């Protein structure tokens, strides 16, 4: 691998993270509905009618101004980036706890359900999609294509709400919220692990179904395209075994375009699924982001955005660096 290209690519990734964080910070900090403006509006509305609540808003506004001093926007932006580079995401506006501590408690739950569902849907989807591509035009292919197309058109929050209502509230087969039973002490014990898996079944199933259709249809299209390549026809003429053609000649090359999508999806998984975690009351980053947005919690919002931005950019960088390992043509170039 070219060392100059590697240095340039890493530098571009770092610069992308910095610029994206600055843009996000400016959009939140200087928007009409910024935390300071919201607190100031609440203060003005309640100041005359309810002095007690006005005092609370005034103290929150003072805390916010102490937390994020206003001055030259350029200096503020660079100061914020400097703090971020040192691992300091600030204090939560509402709880006054470190943002890194709050995110650290929710991130493992999000990584667990989103990554698990993503890997299950990916490997199952590429296998089913490859079989659909081989049987293109058949009744099985037509039926599965119609099914996955309809499945892909169903919004995530609709399927999650149906799972919760039918399997949770009506049949009582699965819990309706939380990450584990409140009666179980967290730790590396069998009851705790079983409880965690039991509570994660519905969120993982919802995310798996939502992702499965996309992977299967994409793999089907890639398989059909790859089957028309000359090297596949030449391998069939040579008498290469069908199983070898399916795995080495077709499967591997049809999978290549999906590799980058998978790595990027893993990066986005750090942001969790807001709808699924909110529906199932799952204590992940997605639920935390929903809480931060609805409560105008500026520092917590930015902390989660930084985690998502960094994960996605690093994922794309890893995809670029490792793509040559699965595609020799890139390595030769």
């Amino acid at each position: 691998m070219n060392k100059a290209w590697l240095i340039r690519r890493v530098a571009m990734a770092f610069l992308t993270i910095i610029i994206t964080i600055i843009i996000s910070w400016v959009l939140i900090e200087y928007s009409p509905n910024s935390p300071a403006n919201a607190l100031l509006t609440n203060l003005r509305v309640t100041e005359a009618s309810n002095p007690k609540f006005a005092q609370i808003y005034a103290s929150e506004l003072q805390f916010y101004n102490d937390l994020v001093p206003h001055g030259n926007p350029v200096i503020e932006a660079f100061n914020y980036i400097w703090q971020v580079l040192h691992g300091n995401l600030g204090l939560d506006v509402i709880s006054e706890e470190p943002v890194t501590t709050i995110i650290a408690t929710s991130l493992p739950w999000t990584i667990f359900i989103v990554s698990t569902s993503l890997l299950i849907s990916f490997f199952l989807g590429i296998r089913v999609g490859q079989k659909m591509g081989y049987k293109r035009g058949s009744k099985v292919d037509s039926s599965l294509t119609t099914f996955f197309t309809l499945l892909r058109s169903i919004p995530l929050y609709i399927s999650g709400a149906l799972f919760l209502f039918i399997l949770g509230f009506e049949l009582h087969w699965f819990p309706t919220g939380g990450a584990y039973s409140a009666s179980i002490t967290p730790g590396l014990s069998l009851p705790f692990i079983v409880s965690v898996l039991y509570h994660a079944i519905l969120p993982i199933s919802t995310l798996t179904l939502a992702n499965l259709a996309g992977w299967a249809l994409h793999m089907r299209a890639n398989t059909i395209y790859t089957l028309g390549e000359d090297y596949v026809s030449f391998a069939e003429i040579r008498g290469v075994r069908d199983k070898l053609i399916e795995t080495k000649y077709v499967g591997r090359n049809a999978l290549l375009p999906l590799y980058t999508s998978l790595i990027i999806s893993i990066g986005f998984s750090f942001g969790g699924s807001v709808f699924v975690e909110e529906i199932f009351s799952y204590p992940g980053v997605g639920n935390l982001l929903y809480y931060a947005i609805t409560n105008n919690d500026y520092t917590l919002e930015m902390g989660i955005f930084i985690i998502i931005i960094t994960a996605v950019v690093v994922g794309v960088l890893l995809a670029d660096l490792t793509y040559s390992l699965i595609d020799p043509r890139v390595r030769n170039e």
Side-chain angles (χ1 to χ4, degrees), residues 147-160:
F147 170 74
F148 284 129
T149 302
L150 292 175
L151 183 63
R152 195 175 187 182
S153 63
I154 299 176
L156 188 66
Y157 54 86
I158 296 295
S159 57

Side-chain angles (χ1 to χ4, degrees), residues 145-218:
T145 301
T146 303
F147 170 74
F148 284 129
T149 302
L150 292 175
L151 183 63
R152 195 175 187 182
S153 63
I154 299 176
L156 188 66
Y157 54 86
I158 296 295
S159 57
L162 287 174
F163 277 165
L164 180 65
F165 177 74
I166 297 174
L167 301 179
F169 288 106
E170 290 294 321
L171 299 177
H172 304 286
W173 288 356
F174 299 100
T176 58
Y180 56 88
S181 299
S183 59
I184 298 178
T185 303
L188 293 177
S189 61
L190 183 59
F192 176 72
I193 295 174
V194 172
S195 179
V196 168
L197 295 176
Y198 183 50
H199 281 71
I201 289 178
L202 287 184
I204 289 176
S205 300
T206 303
L207 291 170
T208 299
L209 285 178
N211 294 322
L212 178 61
W215 295 123
L217 292 175
H218 199 169

Side-chain angles (χ1 to χ4, degrees), residues 35 39 42 53-67 93-94 96:
L39 291 172
N42 292 332
F53 282 101
Q55 186 177 2
I56 294 175
Y57 287 127
S59 61
E60 289 182 354
L61 182 60
Q62 183 61 43
F63 170 74
Y64 176 81
N65 289 328
D66 293 339
L67 186 68
V93 174
I94 297 176
E96 302 184 18

Side-chain angles (χ1 to χ4, degrees), residues 33-333:
N33 196 34
S34 67
N37 290 334
L39 291 172
L40 186 58
T41 301
N42 292 332
L43 176 61
R44 289 171 178 172
V45 170
T46 58
E47 195 168 26
S49 59
N50 198 324
K52 180 179 178 182
F53 282 101
Q55 186 177 2
I56 294 175
Y57 287 127
S59 61
E60 289 182 354
L61 182 60
Q62 183 61 43
F63 170 74
Y64 176 81
N65 289 328
D66 293 339
L67 186 68
V68 188
H70 287 53
N72 189 306
V74 177
I75 296 177
E76 288 181 36
F78 278 102
N79 286 338
Y80 184 78
I81 290 297
W82 181 256
Q83 295 296 325
V84 170
L85 292 177
H86 286 77
N88 181 15
L89 301 181
L91 296 177
D92 181 56
V93 174
I94 297 176
S95 65
E96 302 184 18
E97 296 181 12
V99 171
T100 52
T101 303
I102 298 175
I103 296 178
T105 59
S106 301
L107 190 59
W109 299 112
T110 287
I111 295 177
F112 170 58
I113 63 167
V114 179
S115 299
T116 301
S117 62
L118 180 62
L119 294 177
I120 293 175
S121 61
F122 177 77
F123 288 109
L124 185 60
I126 62 173
R127 188 58 181 166
V128 174
Q130 186 178 6
K131 291 296 183 182
M132 290 167 59
Y134 262 92
K135 298 181 181 295
R136 60 193 183 278
S138 64
K139 291 183 178 180
V140 174
D141 174 47
S142 300
S143 300
L144 288 176
T145 301
T146 303
F147 170 74
F148 284 129
T149 302
L150 292 175
L151 183 63
R152 195 175 187 182
S153 63
I154 299 176
L156 188 66
Y157 54 86
I158 296 295
S159 57
L162 287 174
F163 277 165
L164 180 65
F165 177 74
I166 297 174
L167 301 179
F169 288 106
E170 290 294 321
L171 299 177
H172 304 286
W173 288 356
F174 299 100
T176 58
Y180 56 88
S181 299
S183 59
I184 298 178
T185 303
L188 293 177
S189 61
L190 183 59
F192 176 72
I193 295 174
V194 172
S195 179
V196 168
L197 295 176
Y198 183 50
H199 281 71
I201 289 178
L202 287 184
I204 289 176
S205 300
T206 303
L207 291 170
T208 299
L209 285 178
N211 294 322
L212 178 61
W215 295 123
L217 292 175
H218 199 169
M219 186 63 181
R220 174 187 179 274
N222 290 346
T223 301
I224 294 175
Y225 177 81
T226 307
L227 284 171
E229 294 288 348
D230 293 336
Y231 58 83
V232 176
S233 301
F234 183 69
E236 293 174 345
I237 295 173
R238 286 175 53 202
V240 179
R241 291 183 294 111
D242 292 340
K243 192 66 176 177
L244 186 60
I245 293 177
E246 180 180 350
T247 56
K248 185 176 180 180
Y249 287 80
V250 178
R252 183 175 180 180
N253 289 283
L255 182 62
L256 291 178
L258 297 178
Y259 176 73
T260 303
S261 299
L262 174 64
I263 299 299
I264 295 176
S265 298
I266 293 176
F268 274 110
S269 70
F270 283 81
S273 176
V274 177
F275 291 118
V276 169
E277 293 181 6
E278 178 64 21
I279 288 173
F280 295 103
S281 301
Y282 203 80
V285 175
N287 201 357
L288 198 64
L289 180 60
Y290 175 82
Y291 166 83
I293 293 175
T294 53
N295 289 277
N296 216 5
D297 195 338
Y298 157 76
T299 51
L300 187 56
E301 281 183 66
M302 276 305 305
I304 297 175
F305 289 159
I306 290 171
I307 297 296
I308 299 174
I309 292 167
T310 304
V312 172
V313 174
V314 171
V316 174
L317 177 62
L318 291 177
D320 285 347
L321 298 180
T322 58
Y323 196 82
S324 61
L325 299 178
I326 61 175
D327 191 349
R329 294 171 298 181
V330 177
R331 183 167 59 248
N332 293 335
E333 292 175 1

